[in-house]
Amino acid sequence: MTAFEDVYWWSRDGLRLHARDYPGERGAPPVLCLPGLTRNARDYDLLARRISARHRVLAIDLRGRGESAYAKDPMSYVPLTYAQDIAGFLEEQKIDRFIAVGTSLGGIVTMLLAGMLPGRIAGALLNDVGPEVDPVGLARVRGHVGRSSTWPTWMHAARAVQEAHADIYPDWGIEDWLAMAKRLYRLNSAGRVVIDYDLKIAEPFRVPGNEAGADLWRALAALGTAPVLVVRGGRSDILTTRVAERMVASLPNAALVTLPGIGHAPTLSEPGVQGAIDRLLAQAAEPAST
């Protein structure tokens, strides 16, 4: 029996978008999980299964990823449009307050949602991303996103992922790499393993200034007194220590967890962060003060 149901909604420009709905305790705020640039809803399966007894979990496929439709206009692959898509999803699902978990690009979308929907985010986890992105990591991502590759078997794909990301997860074994490959890729009609996103997502991303298109420090501040957990990989080339510490200092109810030896981005299944996630969820589930 699957742990989730597939749900769909329509964007303003007519795209059929997809999310995984892990049923959980309906009295607590639902947890909205937003993936990174080339990732999809599958990235959050382990987290969702761990917390869904306490919270309903909604893991999103952003437009152009996973089971969501590909956009006709590649210039719609920008954070503001993603945030508008999510706002439409929340309206359709009749969700008022929610907890947001955003990895990388998903964290940028989370900050934009805080500015768009003031007071509605009950808590937020920003995974290895902040209002400023390290140019070193940005150049690395720009260099690989949108490149087409195929592999004959899952093991070939796993080896390719390992070769590309060994410095990010230096302690992983082949089973970990195989699991990541199955989160990242899919089988096509010819039985080959292929990338599970629209290669055109790279088009606006490669234009300087399109990473967010907004003042993200101001958006971050819109989280107000909501509990916020900033997670940073100790070897991250996206979120610097300086920016992470400034984020926590700028918010009244924020904490920072740094995971040594991990690059961009933590999977959130690491033992060193699970306790902090549980504390965030408990805080965010407390009734909002009036």
Side-chain angles (χ1 to χ4, degrees), residues 131-149:
E132 298 175 27
V133 177
D134 190 329
V136 174
L138 194 57
R140 173 182 60 80
V141 174
R142 279 199 176 110
H144 74 74
V145 67
R147 291 187 176 182
S148 178
S149 297

Side-chain angles (χ1 to χ4, degrees), residues 15-287:
L15 295 182
R16 187 173 187 250
L17 304 177
H18 170 263
R20 287 183 169 191
D21 186 349
Y22 295 78
E25 173 55 55
R26 294 295 176 124
V31 178
L32 186 72
C33 294
L34 304 173
L37 180 68
T38 63
R39 306 298 186 90
N40 55 65
R42 297 192 298 275
D43 238 20
Y44 286 107
D45 187 61
L46 290 178
L47 175 66
R49 290 171 187 268
R50 191 175 76 80
I51 68 174
S52 61
R54 292 168 283 162
H55 294 265
R56 179 189 183 193
V57 180
L58 296 156
I60 302 294
D61 279 331
L62 298 175
R63 58 171 58 205
R65 284 84 163 173
E67 295 185 44
S68 284
Y70 290 9
K72 293 180 179 179
D73 178 10
M75 297 310 291
S76 71
Y77 290 133
V78 292
L80 181 57
T81 305
Y82 302 139
Q84 291 169 343
D85 290 343
I86 299 306
F89 175 72
L90 294 169
E91 181 178 359
E92 182 166 309
Q93 291 288 318
K94 297 180 172 56
I95 293 171
D96 182 20
R97 285 174 59 79
F98 60 96
I99 301 165
V101 176
T103 294
S104 196
L105 170 62
I108 291 175
V109 176
T110 295
M111 288 182 274
L112 291 177
L113 286 171
M116 291 169 57
L117 308 172
R120 291 179 58 184
I121 296 183
L125 189 161
L126 300 174
N127 185 18
D128 213 56
V129 71
E132 298 175 27
V133 177
D134 190 329
V136 174
L138 194 57
R140 173 182 60 80
V141 174
R142 279 199 176 110
H144 74 74
V145 67
R147 291 187 176 182
S148 178
S149 297
T150 71
W151 300 271
T153 69
W154 282 113
M155 190 57 69
H156 284 87
R159 292 297 187 192
V161 176
Q162 180 181 18
E163 183 177 341
H165 300 289
D167 58 333
I168 296 176
Y169 310 105
D171 297 330
W172 278 18
I174 190 58
E175 291 186 0
D176 299 305
W177 296 116
L178 187 59
M180 173 173 265
K182 290 185 177 182
R183 293 194 298 271
L184 283 171
Y185 309 136
R186 61 178 173 83
L187 288 176
N188 68 8
S189 58
R192 290 187 66 87
V193 180
V194 298
I195 287 171
D196 197 13
Y197 66 84
D198 184 356
L199 297 178
K200 292 181 179 179
I201 67 170
E203 292 187 20
F205 182 73
R206 285 174 176 155
V207 177
N210 266 353
E211 297 80 38
D215 179 358
L216 288 180
W217 283 109
R218 184 176 178 181
L220 178 73
L223 287 166
T225 59
V228 175
L229 175 62
V230 178
V231 178
R232 178 179 180 270
R235 302 173 65 179
S236 175
D237 62 355
I238 293 292
L239 178 62
T240 66
T241 300
R242 176 189 65 82
V243 171
E245 291 177 347
R246 181 182 167 189
M247 292 167 69
V248 172
S250 70
L251 294 168
N253 193 13
L256 171 63
V257 170
T258 299
L259 298 173
I262 295 174
H264 180 77
T267 65
L268 302 181
S269 61
E270 295 86 358
V273 74
Q274 292 188 14
I277 292 173
D278 291 342
R279 288 190 292 275
L280 171 73
L281 297 178
Q283 283 183 283
E286 294 175 359

